[in-house]
Amino acid sequence: MSHWEKVSALEVYSEHDLSDIGAVLEGHAEFCREQIAPLSRIGDTLGARFDKGRVTMPEGAARAYAQFVEMGWQALTHPVDYGGIGLPRAVGAAAVEMLNAADMSFGLCPLLTDGAIEALLLTGSDDQKATYLEPLIAGRWSGTMNLTEPQAGSDLGRVATKAVRRADGSYGITGTKIFITYGAHDLTENIIHLVLARAPDASQGPKGLSLFIVPQKLVEPDGTPGAANAVNCVSIEHKLGVRGSPTAVLDFADATGFLIGEENCGLEYMFIMMNAARFSVGVQGIAISERAYQRALAYARDRIQSRPVNGSAKDAVAIIEHPDVRRMLMRMRSLTEGGRAMAAATAGLLDIAHHQDHPEMAALAEFMVPLVKGFCSERAVEVASLGVQIHGGMGFIEETGAAQHYRDARILPIYEGTTAIQANDLLGRKVMRDGGATARLFAARIAETEATLARGDATAQAIGTSLAQARGAYEAALNWMLETGHKDIDASFAGSVPFLMLSGTLAAGWKLAKGALAAQTALDAGQNTQFMTRKIATALFFAQHILPECATEQTRILHGSRSLLDAAFPE
Amino acid sequence: MSHWEKVSALEVYSEHDLSDIGAVLEGHAEFCREQIAPLSRIGDTLGARFDKGRVTMPEGAARAYAQFVEMGWQALTHPVDYGGIGLPRAVGAAAVEMLNAADMSFGLCPLLTDGAIEALLLTGSDDQKATYLEPLIAGRWSGTMNLTEPQAGSDLGRVATKAVRRADGSYGITGTKIFITYGAHDLTENIIHLVLARAPDASQGPKGLSLFIVPQKLVEPDGTPGAANAVNCVSIEHKLGVRGSPTAVLDFADATGFLIGEENCGLEYMFIMMNAARFSVGVQGIAISERAYQRALAYARDRIQSRPVNGSAKDAVAIIEHPDVRRMLMRMRSLTEGGRAMAAATAGLLDIAHHQDHPEMAALAEFMVPLVKGFCSERAVEVASLGVQIHGGMGFIEETGAAQHYRDARILPIYEGTTAIQANDLLGRKVMRDGGATARLFAARIAETEATLARGDATAQAIGTSLAQARGAYEAALNWMLETGHKDIDASFAGSVPFLMLSGTLAAGWKLAKGALAAQTALDAGQNTQFMTRKIATALFFAQHILPECATEQTRILHGSRSLLDAAFPE
């Protein structure tokens, strides 16, 4: 049974006819294409503007956002109890991809709101849920994550924002937060900031942090936004990319905040929110990759330049005929579809883990999240760069559009935890903590796929051979990590990002291989020939061009730690 | 005898005391640091401005350029007969690197002038040399390359600009050229455009092109700039990077041009100019990489965040202490120094080949040029991207400066021939044409270095082992290329860029290994311990982390061509 069949069978989705989910996504696709995609270049060119504490969004954003709310797209995957539509995350991931492919700057607002909803659902009190969830799920209000401070980026233990208890049970929040995506804007009636801060008697370090709801406008008893809270936007950043989205510096001047859950558990709660956001950032990577690919493909079909190298024509041909342009396009396509296959499977695991008591599925889902974030974000930078390259000199001209993807993509391996943070999460929490049990389960599942591939045709066998080699590299690296981790922690962390990239590449190649098997079954049944043939070709390319990178990562991990750790950086 | 010793021994340099060349370069370094580096951010922010056909350079550029001319830096490597200083290209490469590290937008103007000088020296008539060389070498005039037209980018055979013979021996040039770097600006008294155009009765395709000198201002009999020529700047581009440099669209409306050499030999002459420019673009890649590395290193030393993973300290430390930050820094450093080692060696080969009749050296020099351009430009994009990553969220903020390198670097694998064009040049002209003789000589030289490494200490042996494996991958790929080339030209060109990257990576690793051997000799003699230790550490890191990529490229070449060529791109 496929993940999707398992997801469809979940009790919670029994009210939906998931066989017809394509129609919902078609509707979303049309909305994204018609209403959102045109914003991308406008937002990039005009940017969000800051004047005297107020942020004005680029032209067209307010109208598009109002339609987004009216059509209920924010509600897609959220619980029906609070006005949501209650569809699986596996469907939501596809919608998030389309929205961010249309305009990542726009997509960031709903993405952060999703994170706030997730955190409130899992850790908020009944009162808090009653107050905030409905307008957030409707999209009338938006959410933010307030973690970073100038001295506290990856190291949240250094957060200095203070939370002073007040007699009425609320807290006075004082401090400065930076890099707050959609921290200030004019799209919604209210903005619900989730803020990490420290009570006066709390310990230093990460275990003294608490999480607070700090509404931009305090909520009246009737549920409507009322008086302004003491949260001020000091400035917004001048960024490399996603210029249509405001990134705010927020000043909290004894702002009224409401504790979520218990004091000193803030980081734990924030991680719930962050895990959802990390997965979504991986999906943003797929989104940017897909948009960059579509643009490059269209250009490659259109642009006439040079005769074929094999002399098959006397006239210049479209550049898609040239082998190296095909190589770049196939690299873009296979990295994009590999990321998508892996994210879709992870979404399915998350749905199942969320609604069933299935510790193995839950552990695999947790294992996959840093892979989705790490692989899809790093690869998006590579794919967007190839997209520029295919355009030649035109790619360097901003009006062409390819350069914007290259700029936008660059934030993805940084925000919601850098690639190194993902790698630490993978190695520390997902691999070492259970002694490698989940990591070995992952490999065992891949070996099952290899066995099926071995019984297939020549193409399936070729994919299987590459997959087995890549899994071998992974297992060698895993064994080394499990042995080295306790003896020489520096050496194991020297290989953490290579291990993340090895695992992510293997996961993507595996999921594409499973897709190729499914495609062959469909082909044998005479279904959708062109699409299925393409899926198999993509999986084969990935197996022969991308999976071999796993062996290089293995070499780095096993033999490269000393040359890395011993090197000096003299003044 | 090292390349440098061979260069120093050349008759042409007998007037110079090359043992004291460090002082010249120190002077250049000071000029670049004090006068040029501050322009970089100003130029990026303000950009070159276009108004009514005139281009105004960003603030400070004119003053800095005047000093550049006054100090005679343009003349560094050019012949004394025309006012040059006559130093070797091996020295010039270091100067070009520093200038472009300080500000690549500024560096582009002298770089193009160098190309024009080179072309005139080798193909101009005595009269043309007498008229144009002295002011170009002095830097009072600048040069441009006018190749590209909207329909003719990589495919110069499609150039449509017309050249009509006039009774006085000059030509009327009519057409539109795009992407003309420094095609219009206010830094010099005159601009000498070298223009590819087609005589009315010339054949279509690349063999009907001729090369013309088209001065922006026609030169008076006394050698001074006189009446304006009919060359108009129509607009300048809004670019992803190098925004401080103007990229012009030039309209030639029956402009007066003077034929260089013979009709229909234009492309051949242009290649002379382009080869010098290609080498210099590789050096620009090293320059951007070095600047990005210096910036990231300074930030990593300064930024305090998180305790050490090994628990060796209770407080947060500078991020340079964290293994993955060290990994990124070492990757940046080794790619940068690998490129520099390879470019310096190539410059030496070019000097020797230029002044001695040494066909083997000349062939090796020609072989190395696409490697320098391809490897250093592609790696610069990677290194600049790592530089952003090390800065975390700050890297995405334009004021930090890391993002500018990421934007600037992106043009390098595109202009002066894309990476695919370099790969075609390598495979077609440098490998296939002589049946692999030069390509095998390159491998044989590397094997000699391996033999020396095998007699060294454990570090030398470790470097030698990795180098031998990478050379093995190269030879396997080379054999496959030589066998496949004639049978299946599409398959061989499907692997052309992987072969270029394999060869370039091997070349860089080899030159670093030679550097490590020299450093060990110096260490044994008690010289410059810290510097020499660092050189060896860089070579070892490259050997263990970068050279293993060669095996992946081999796999792609040998086993990946069908999955690439057979893939369909359905609508």
Side-chain angles (χ1 to χ4, degrees):
Chain A
M1 196 152 72
S2 73
H3 280 339
W4 177 245
E5 286 162 339
K6 285 182 201 156
V7 168
S8 303
L10 289 170
E11 173 67 25
V12 65
Y13 303 126
S14 57
E15 284 177 33
H16 291 284
D17 178 7
L18 293 183
S19 68
D20 198 29
I21 207 68
V24 174
L25 291 175
E26 284 290 346
H28 192 64
E30 189 190 335
F31 170 73
C32 291
R33 188 171 52 238
E34 304 298 327
Q35 306 299 326
I36 306 299
L39 297 178
S40 170
R41 173 110 183 101
I42 300 169
D44 186 61
T45 311
L46 300 180
R49 276 159 300 155
F50 175 81
D51 187 39
K52 300 192 190 93
R54 297 187 66 88
V55 172
T56 309
M57 293 295 293
E59 195 188 321
R63 196 177 56 243
Y65 189 81
Q67 284 186 290
F68 177 81
V69 171
E70 193 186 322
M71 295 176 84
W73 292 121
Q74 186 76 53
L76 205 62
T77 59
H78 298 301
V80 288
D81 293 353
Y82 299 97
I85 301 173
L87 285 169
R89 192 185 291 266
V91 175
V96 168
E97 183 192 325
M98 288 191 280
L99 190 66
N100 282 279
D103 183 15
M104 182 169 144
S105 286
F106 184 92
L108 274 166
C109 184
L111 190 150
L112 270 295
T113 304
D114 279 342
I117 293 167
E118 194 102 3
L120 286 168
L121 273 171
L122 291 164
T123 60
S125 68
D126 288 347
D127 265 8
Q128 289 168 343
K129 290 182 189 175
T131 305
Y132 299 104
L133 279 176
E134 189 277 329
L136 284 169
I137 287 174
R140 292 199 312 281
W141 300 357
S142 68
T144 71
M145 287 168 72
N146 288 248
L147 290 72
T148 307
E149 300 177 9
Q151 78 293 350
S154 295
D155 187 1
L156 290 172
R158 293 166 71 83
V159 159
T161 295
K162 292 286 165 219
V164 178
R165 280 173 221 107
R166 294 172 179 168
D168 66 356
S170 72
Y171 288 70
I173 310 290
T174 302
T176 300
K177 294 287 183 179
I178 63 168
F179 296 159
I180 309 308
T181 303
Y182 278 91
H185 62 83
D186 57 2
L187 299 181
T188 56
E189 304 166 359
N190 204 357
I191 303 174
I192 307 306
H193 305 294
L194 297 195
V195 182
L196 272 189
R198 200 181 297 277
D201 48 2
S203 66
Q204 291 305 302
K207 289 180 181 160
L209 294 171
S210 305
L211 185 61
F212 298 89
I213 300 169
V214 183
Q216 186 69 41
K217 291 178 185 164
L218 294 164
V219 181
E220 297 288 320
D222 69 354
T224 60
N229 203 348
V231 185
N232 296 302
C233 178
V234 176
S235 63
I236 62 173
E237 307 290 354
H238 174 219
K239 306 190 300 289
L240 172 62
V242 287
R243 293 185 180 158
S245 73
T247 301
V249 177
L250 293 186
D251 181 54
F252 295 80
D254 196 26
T256 299
F258 306 101
L259 180 69
I260 296 185
E262 292 174 30
E263 277 189 13
N264 304 322
C265 296
L267 204 65
E268 186 190 314
Y269 303 154
M270 204 47 133
F271 262 108
I272 296 170
M273 186 166 169
M274 236 169 357
N275 257 328
R278 284 175 178 184
F279 174 81
S280 296
V281 170
V283 174
Q284 287 188 310
I286 304 162
I288 292 290
S289 298
E290 176 66 29
R291 183 78 182 267
Y293 172 69
Q294 288 185 18
R295 198 186 287 277
L297 179 61
Y299 186 82
R301 281 191 174 127
D302 198 48
R303 171 74 170 166
I304 308 289
Q305 202 80 170
S306 300
R307 285 181 288 179
V309 283
N310 64 14
S312 61
K314 292 231 158 186
D315 290 326
V317 293
I319 62 170
I320 196 171
E321 302 296 326
H322 299 311
D324 193 63
V325 173
R326 298 177 77 81
R327 182 189 65 83
M328 291 191 280
L329 285 171
M330 281 304 288
R331 194 167 173 88
M332 295 177 80
R333 181 169 115 188
S334 68
L335 289 170
T336 306
E337 295 192 12
R340 184 180 296 132
M342 157 185 183
T346 304
L349 286 170
L350 288 167
D351 282 321
I352 295 163
H354 195 65
H355 295 294
Q356 277 189 337
D357 183 25
H358 200 317
E360 206 173 71
M361 287 287 207
L364 269 179
E366 291 276 299
F367 178 86
M368 291 293 287
V369 168
L371 270 51
V372 171
K373 168 41 163 114
F375 176 87
C376 298
S377 66
E378 291 282 348
R379 296 302 196 170
V381 174
E382 183 182 345
V383 169
S385 184
L386 285 168
V388 173
Q389 188 69 21
I390 287 173
H391 285 80
M394 287 306 294
F396 202 63
I397 306 301
E398 285 287 0
E399 284 77 2
T400 307
Q404 186 185 337
H405 305 317
Y406 176 74
R407 290 187 288 99
D408 287 353
R410 197 62 197 77
I411 192 58
L412 298 169
I414 294 174
Y415 67 12
E416 306 299 343
T418 63
T419 303
I421 296 287
Q422 305 305 319
N424 289 359
D425 177 50
L426 175 67
L427 201 55
R429 293 192 197 88
K430 317 292 169 70
V431 170
M432 296 295 194
R433 191 171 284 176
D434 71 1
T438 306
R440 290 200 196 289
L441 177 64
F442 171 71
R445 290 282 173 88
I446 296 170
E448 288 169 22
T449 305
E450 288 162 26
T452 312
L453 289 161
R455 292 190 297 270
D457 64 7
T459 298
Q461 288 176 16
I463 295 172
T465 302
S466 292
L467 189 60
Q469 283 168 354
R471 179 180 52 84
Y474 167 80
E475 291 192 300
L478 174 63
N479 289 337
W480 186 90
M481 283 293 180
L482 291 167
E483 278 167 32
T484 308
H486 305 287
K487 291 185 305 202
D488 186 350
I489 197 161
D490 278 333
S492 64
F493 278 89
S496 61
V497 168
F499 185 71
L500 173 72
M501 294 312 293
L502 197 177
S503 308
T505 301
L506 176 61
W510 171 39
K511 293 299 177 186
L512 284 177
K514 290 193 76 164
L517 286 169
Q520 188 58 53
T521 304
L523 271 185
D524 293 343
Q527 292 164 355
N528 217 342
T529 309
Q530 199 178 58
F531 179 81
M532 297 302 168
T533 304
R534 202 186 93 139
K535 293 306 283 182
I536 295 170
T538 305
L540 181 66
F541 184 91
F542 195 100
Q544 296 190 330
H545 288 257
I546 318 284
L547 280 179
E549 295 174 21
C550 293
T552 305
E553 301 294 9
Q554 178 199 340
T555 303
R556 288 180 179 131
I557 295 164
L558 269 63
H559 306 295
S561 60
R562 293 316 331 158
S563 63
L564 190 166
L565 296 168
D566 294 346
F569 293 92
E571 296 288 332
Chain B
M1 197 151 74
S2 73
H3 279 342
W4 177 246
E5 287 161 340
K6 284 182 203 157
V7 169
S8 304
L10 289 170
E11 174 68 25
V12 64
Y13 304 127
S14 58
E15 284 177 34
H16 291 284
D17 179 6
L18 292 183
S19 68
D20 199 31
I21 207 69
V24 175
L25 291 175
E26 284 290 345
H28 192 65
E30 189 190 335
F31 169 74
C32 292
R33 189 170 53 236
E34 305 297 328
Q35 306 299 328
I36 306 300
L39 297 178
S40 169
R41 172 110 184 100
I42 301 169
D44 186 60
T45 311
L46 300 180
R49 275 159 302 154
F50 174 81
D51 186 39
K52 300 190 190 94
R54 295 188 67 86
V55 172
T56 309
M57 292 296 291
E59 196 189 320
R63 196 177 55 242
Y65 189 81
Q67 283 186 289
F68 177 82
V69 172
E70 193 186 322
M71 296 175 83
W73 292 121
Q74 185 78 54
L76 206 61
T77 58
H78 299 299
V80 289
D81 292 352
Y82 298 98
I85 301 174
L87 286 169
R89 193 186 291 265
V91 175
V96 168
E97 183 192 327
M98 288 190 280
L99 190 67
N100 282 279
D103 183 15
M104 184 170 142
S105 285
F106 184 92
L108 274 165
C109 183
L111 190 149
L112 270 295
T113 303
D114 278 342
I117 293 166
E118 195 101 3
L120 286 168
L121 274 170
L122 290 165
T123 60
S125 68
D126 288 345
D127 264 7
Q128 290 169 341
K129 290 181 190 176
T131 306
Y132 298 104
L133 279 175
E134 189 276 329
L136 284 169
I137 288 174
R140 289 198 316 280
W141 299 358
S142 68
T144 70
M145 287 168 71
N146 289 249
L147 291 72
T148 307
E149 299 177 9
Q151 78 293 349
S154 294
D155 187 1
L156 290 172
R158 293 166 71 84
V159 159
T161 296
K162 292 283 165 226
V164 178
R165 281 174 221 106
R166 295 174 177 165
D168 66 357
S170 72
Y171 289 70
I173 310 290
T174 302
T176 300
K177 294 286 182 179
I178 63 169
F179 298 160
I180 308 308
T181 302
Y182 277 90
H185 62 83
D186 56 3
L187 299 181
T188 55
E189 304 166 0
N190 204 356
I191 303 174
I192 307 307
H193 306 293
L194 298 196
V195 183
L196 273 189
R198 201 182 298 277
D201 47 2
S203 66
Q204 292 305 300
K207 289 180 183 161
L209 294 171
S210 304
L211 185 62
F212 299 89
I213 300 169
V214 184
Q216 186 68 44
K217 291 178 185 163
L218 294 165
V219 181
E220 298 287 321
D222 69 354
T224 59
N229 203 348
V231 184
N232 296 302
C233 177
V234 176
S235 64
I236 62 173
E237 306 291 353
H238 174 217
K239 307 191 298 291
L240 172 62
V242 288
R243 292 184 180 159
S245 72
T247 302
V249 176
L250 293 186
D251 181 55
F252 295 81
D254 195 26
T256 299
F258 306 100
L259 180 69
I260 298 185
E262 292 175 31
E263 275 190 17
N264 304 322
C265 297
L267 203 65
E268 185 191 315
Y269 303 155
M270 204 46 133
F271 262 108
I272 296 169
M273 186 169 171
M274 237 174 350
N275 257 329
R278 284 175 176 182
F279 174 81
S280 296
V281 170
V283 174
Q284 287 189 310
I286 305 163
I288 291 289
S289 297
E290 176 65 29
R291 182 79 182 266
Y293 172 69
Q294 288 185 18
R295 198 186 285 276
L297 179 61
Y299 186 81
R301 281 192 174 125
D302 197 48
R303 171 75 170 165
I304 309 290
Q305 203 79 170
S306 301
R307 285 180 290 180
V309 284
N310 64 12
S312 63
K314 291 230 158 187
D315 290 326
V317 293
I319 62 170
I320 196 171
E321 302 295 326
H322 299 311
D324 192 64
V325 173
R326 297 176 78 81
R327 181 188 66 82
M328 291 190 280
L329 284 170
M330 281 305 289
R331 196 168 170 87
M332 294 176 79
R333 183 170 112 188
S334 67
L335 289 170
T336 306
E337 295 191 12
R340 183 180 297 133
M342 160 185 180
T346 303
L349 287 170
L350 289 166
D351 281 321
I352 295 163
H354 196 65
H355 295 293
Q356 278 189 336
D357 183 24
H358 200 316
E360 205 172 72
M361 287 285 206
L364 269 179
E366 291 276 301
F367 178 85
M368 291 295 286
V369 168
L371 271 50
V372 170
K373 164 53 160 103
F375 176 89
C376 298
S377 66
E378 291 281 348
R379 296 302 195 169
V381 175
E382 182 181 346
V383 168
S385 183
L386 285 168
V388 173
Q389 187 70 19
I390 287 173
H391 285 80
M394 288 305 295
F396 202 63
I397 307 300
E398 285 288 0
E399 284 78 0
T400 307
Q404 186 186 335
H405 305 317
Y406 175 74
R407 290 188 286 100
D408 286 353
R410 197 62 197 78
I411 192 59
L412 298 169
I414 295 174
Y415 67 11
E416 304 301 341
T418 64
T419 303
I421 296 288
Q422 305 305 318
N424 289 0
D425 177 50
L426 176 68
L427 200 55
R429 292 193 198 86
K430 317 294 169 69
V431 170
M432 298 294 195
R433 191 170 285 176
D434 70 2
T438 306
R440 289 199 198 289
L441 177 64
F442 171 70
R445 291 284 173 89
I446 295 171
E448 288 169 21
T449 304
E450 288 163 27
T452 313
L453 289 162
R455 293 191 296 272
D457 64 7
T459 298
Q461 288 175 18
I463 295 172
T465 303
S466 292
L467 189 61
Q469 283 167 357
R471 179 180 52 84
Y474 167 80
E475 292 191 300
L478 175 62
N479 289 336
W480 186 90
M481 283 293 179
L482 291 167
E483 278 168 32
T484 308
H486 305 287
K487 289 186 305 202
D488 186 351
I489 197 160
D490 278 332
S492 64
F493 278 90
S496 62
V497 168
F499 186 71
L500 173 72
M501 293 312 292
L502 196 177
S503 309
T505 301
L506 176 62
W510 169 41
K511 293 300 176 184
L512 284 178
K514 291 194 76 164
L517 287 169
Q520 188 58 53
T521 304
L523 270 185
D524 293 344
Q527 291 164 357
N528 217 341
T529 310
Q530 200 179 57
F531 178 81
M532 297 302 168
T533 304
R534 203 186 91 140
K535 293 307 282 184
I536 294 170
T538 305
L540 181 65
F541 183 91
F542 195 100
Q544 297 191 329
H545 288 256
I546 318 286
L547 280 179
E549 295 173 20
C550 293
T552 305
E553 301 293 10
Q554 179 200 339
T555 303
R556 289 182 178 129
I557 296 164
L558 269 63
H559 306 295
S561 60
R562 292 318 328 160
S563 64
L564 190 166
L565 296 168
D566 294 345
F569 294 91
E571 296 289 330

